[in-house]
């Protein structure tokens, strides 16, 4: 099941707030569980870029089969500056604080040449995943923010298959 947040992509509504994004993610998740009758043990949550925020949020609430973080961010402000000092109360998607509370095996994918969200974000998220839930990450040589799948089609699906086999 894929979805867009309110006001994003082809969805209707005003620009999404952080809380609205969490609400939308939870609504899509509940649709899978309640309407489609899919068991938590059959759901892999996949969050790419900003989508890492609501995906990590869900993975702290539900014990699913797995979580994939594709070019994820440590937090919104950390994309702009590593020093949050006085602005931490305004920081959105505090993934760095939530990731230690995930309840499922987690696979991190990040391009080593990511020019939008530095690879240090993926590495930082990986470091904070609980040890028993860490799956070997894939830091992709030569990959930028949006070309991991397209430039590495076969390795991407091979790595995803390995992840699914490991957690199934």
């Amino acid at each position: 099941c894929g979805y867009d947040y309110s006001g994003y992509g082809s969805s209707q509504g005003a620009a999404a707030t952080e809380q609205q994004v969490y609400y939308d993610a939870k609504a899509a998740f509940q649709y899978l569980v309640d309407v489609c009758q899919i068991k938590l043990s059959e759901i892999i949550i996949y969050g790419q870029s900003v989508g890492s925020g609501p995906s990590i949020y869900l993975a702290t609430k539900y014990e699913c089969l797995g979580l994939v973080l594709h070019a994820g961010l440590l937090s919104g402000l950390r994309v702009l500056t590593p020093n949050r000092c006085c602005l931490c109360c305004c920081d959105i998607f505090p993934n760095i604080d939530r990731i230690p509370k995930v309840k499922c095996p987690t696979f991190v994918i990040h391009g080593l040449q990511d020019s939008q969200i530095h690879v240090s974000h993926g590495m930082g998220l990986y470091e904070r995943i609980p040890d028993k839930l860490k799956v070997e990450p894939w830091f992709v040589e030569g990959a930028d923010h949006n070309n991991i799948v397209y430039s590495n089609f076969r390795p991407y699906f091979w790595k995803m298959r390995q992840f699914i086999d490991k957690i199934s």
Side-chain angles (χ1 to χ4, degrees), residues 40-44 63-67 104-105 163-164 167-168:
L40 293 177
S41 62
E42 297 173 341
I43 295 174
I44 297 174
E63 194 169 337
C64 295
L65 180 59
L67 169 65
C104 54
F163 174 61
I164 292 167
I167 62 177
S168 295

Side-chain angles (χ1 to χ4, degrees), residues 67-70 104-110 122-123 125-127 129-140 155-156 158-167:
L67 169 65
V68 177
L69 299 174
H70 178 147
C104 54
T106 303
F107 177 40
V108 173
I109 302 169
H110 211 111
M123 292 175 175
L125 289 171
Y126 177 75
E127 288 172 7
I129 297 167
D131 287 339
K132 67 181 181 178
L133 300 175
K134 284 183 179 181
V135 174
E136 184 179 345
W138 185 34
F139 297 111
V140 189
Y156 171 81
W158 174 248
K159 294 284 188 179
M160 289 302 297
R161 182 74 223 178
Q162 286 180 312
F163 174 61
I164 292 167
D165 287 347
K166 181 175 181 63
I167 62 177

Side-chain angles (χ1 to χ4, degrees), residues 8-150:
Y8 187 82
S10 60
S11 292
Q12 302 295 313
T17 64
E18 180 183 11
Q19 290 310 310
Q20 184 64 47
V21 168
Y22 295 142
Y23 177 82
D24 291 344
K26 196 168 181 182
F29 190 86
Q30 286 306 134
Y31 176 82
L32 288 176
V33 173
D34 297 339
V35 177
C36 298
Q37 301 288 303
I38 298 175
K39 298 175 189 158
L40 293 177
S41 62
E42 297 173 341
I43 295 174
I44 297 174
I45 302 168
Y46 193 110
Q48 183 172 352
S49 191
V50 172
S52 63
S55 296
I56 290 172
Y57 171 82
L58 289 174
T60 65
K61 306 286 183 203
Y62 304 100
E63 194 169 337
C64 295
L65 180 59
L67 169 65
V68 177
L69 299 174
H70 178 147
L73 49 92
L74 290 170
S75 74
L77 280 177
R78 283 182 172 89
V79 173
L80 303 173
T81 177
N83 182 1
R84 297 183 321 148
C85 78
C86 304
L87 299 173
C88 62
C89 63
C90 302
D91 201 0
I92 62 170
F93 303 119
N95 295 339
I96 190 169
D97 299 326
R98 286 195 176 121
I99 194 86
K101 300 172 189 146
V102 296
K103 298 180 179 189
C104 54
T106 303
F107 177 40
V108 173
I109 302 169
H110 211 111
L112 286 171
Q113 280 69 45
D114 192 325
S115 59
Q116 292 181 33
I117 299 175
H118 193 267
V119 68
S120 61
H121 287 253
M123 292 175 175
L125 289 171
Y126 177 75
E127 288 172 7
R128 294 188 53 100
I129 297 167
D131 287 339
K132 67 181 181 178
L133 300 175
K134 284 183 179 181
V135 174
E136 184 179 345
W138 185 34
F139 297 111
V140 189
E141 188 67 47
D144 197 355
H145 191 70
N146 291 312
N147 71 349
I148 290 174
V149 178
Y150 305 114

